[in-house]
Amino acid sequence: MGVKHFAAFFILLVLALGISASASMLIPANDNAKENSQAPEYSPVIGDNWDLERVDFIHYAKPPSNAKPSSTSCYKLMGVKWTALPVNYVINPSNPQGLSESSITSAISASAETWDNATSQELFNNSYGIDYAAQYGVQNFQNAIAFGDYPDSGVIGVTSVWYTRVGKRIVEFDMLLNTDFAWGDAAENPLLMDLQNIATHELGHSVGLSDIYSTTCNTVTMFGYSTEGETSKRTLEQPDIAGLQRMYGA
Ligand SMILES: [Zn+2]
């Protein structure tokens, strides 16, 4: 092969490679990615019917009435659940009340472990993230827990849950803790809104449980009202556990 022929061959080779490369790029690149994706923090299961719905659970303050023994039916499922476990979450410890990062993260992680311990599955990742930029209410597949001001008075906290319209898979939750209330450890100071108490209730929403408002169920963790000084929602009652285990197993 002469120099000229070699040069021509080389140019043809480059052209051929270029054409095959560009031809392969015409194949939709996202099909495999869709089928193979799991649904941890930033890569949800994205089906062809990728269409999210959102529900907000708003937790109001209300003085407690007399505690009633709760029946086993005192739980309500949202009809959506996580299909990829464990659920990862991040805590934004920023708050205007001077609560320490460690007091916030230990209260919230204790809440997560309370649900975790009621099912054999690893429901929440034991190691959470700390992210001072994490925001409530932004649909970004980051499960964010943050303090902030909520416009309506009397609202203690809000948990938003996003799920797929088709398949009913939860893909994200965000939790807002309203800074209208003074937060802390109500076991030490009953004038405070107990962080672990409220976080346990709100995390119940994040895994697929709805509020219960019947006064005959007012001792369960998923009862829809709380007040300062309350710590009874730190632990789960049998109906809360029954609801959880219907979704994730015993
Ligand atoms: Zn609630």
Side-chain angles (χ1 to χ4, degrees):
M1 195 184 284
V3 171
K4 276 186 184 171
H5 286 101
F6 179 78
F9 174 76
F10 186 70
I11 287 165
L12 282 171
L13 183 68
V14 169
L15 280 172
L17 285 173
I19 288 163
S20 69
S22 56
S24 70
M25 288 169 73
L26 296 174
I27 298 166
N30 56 353
D31 275 9
N32 287 336
K34 278 184 187 175
E35 285 177 14
N36 295 334
S37 63
Q38 297 294 306
E41 206 170 1
Y42 293 107
S43 63
V45 176
I46 300 176
D48 289 333
N49 290 303
W50 181 240
D51 186 2
L52 292 184
E53 296 191 351
R54 168 178 168 165
V55 61
D56 293 346
F57 292 96
I58 299 172
H59 197 60
Y60 286 95
K62 191 177 174 182
S65 49
N66 290 334
K68 310 261 194 343
S70 55
S71 78
T72 51
S73 61
C74 287
Y75 71 87
K76 189 176 166 197
L77 305 182
M78 290 168 59
V80 300
K81 66 174 198 174
W82 292 90
T83 55
L85 298 175
V87 178
N88 296 296
Y89 62 96
V90 298
I91 299 167
N92 183 341
S94 303
N95 72 91
Q97 299 170 0
L99 295 169
S100 70
E101 180 182 294
S102 63
S103 71
I104 291 166
T105 55
S106 65
I108 292 171
S109 59
S111 298
E113 288 312 298
T114 297
W115 287 107
D116 221 37
N117 291 338
T119 174
S120 56
Q121 294 209 59
E122 179 67 355
L123 190 59
F124 287 103
N125 195 332
N126 285 333
S127 63
Y128 49 86
I130 296 174
D131 182 353
Y132 279 82
Q135 284 182 281
Y136 161 80
V138 180
Q139 201 282 297
N140 57 1
F141 302 113
Q142 183 188 53
N143 304 311
I145 300 171
F147 291 88
D149 183 45
Y150 191 80
D152 294 355
S153 65
V155 174
I156 302 167
V158 183
T159 295
S160 300
V161 178
W162 288 266
Y163 57 90
T164 58
R165 189 178 58 80
V166 176
K168 304 295 182 193
R169 295 185 301 265
I170 301 176
V171 297
E172 181 181 346
F173 81 88
D174 283 350
M175 183 194 303
L176 179 77
L177 302 160
N178 191 358
T179 49
D180 283 354
F181 291 88
W183 292 88
D185 182 348
E188 291 180 359
N189 180 352
L191 297 176
L192 298 176
M193 190 61 75
D194 191 74
L195 181 55
Q196 186 182 338
N197 186 69
I198 300 300
T200 308
H201 171 92
E202 298 300 328
L203 287 175
H205 294 313
S206 79
V207 295
L209 290 167
S210 291
D211 283 309
I212 290 287
Y213 287 107
S214 165
T215 52
T216 60
C217 297
N218 64 8
T219 59
V220 300
T221 295
M222 294 317 295
F223 186 65
Y225 298 111
S226 291
T227 190
E228 284 93 343
E230 180 189 87
T231 57
S232 59
K233 290 183 175 71
R234 288 183 178 189
T235 53
L236 306 181
E237 303 303 315
Q238 276 310 312
D240 303 305
I241 296 169
L244 182 77
Q245 294 188 346
R246 268 191 59 188
M247 294 182 285
Y248 301 101

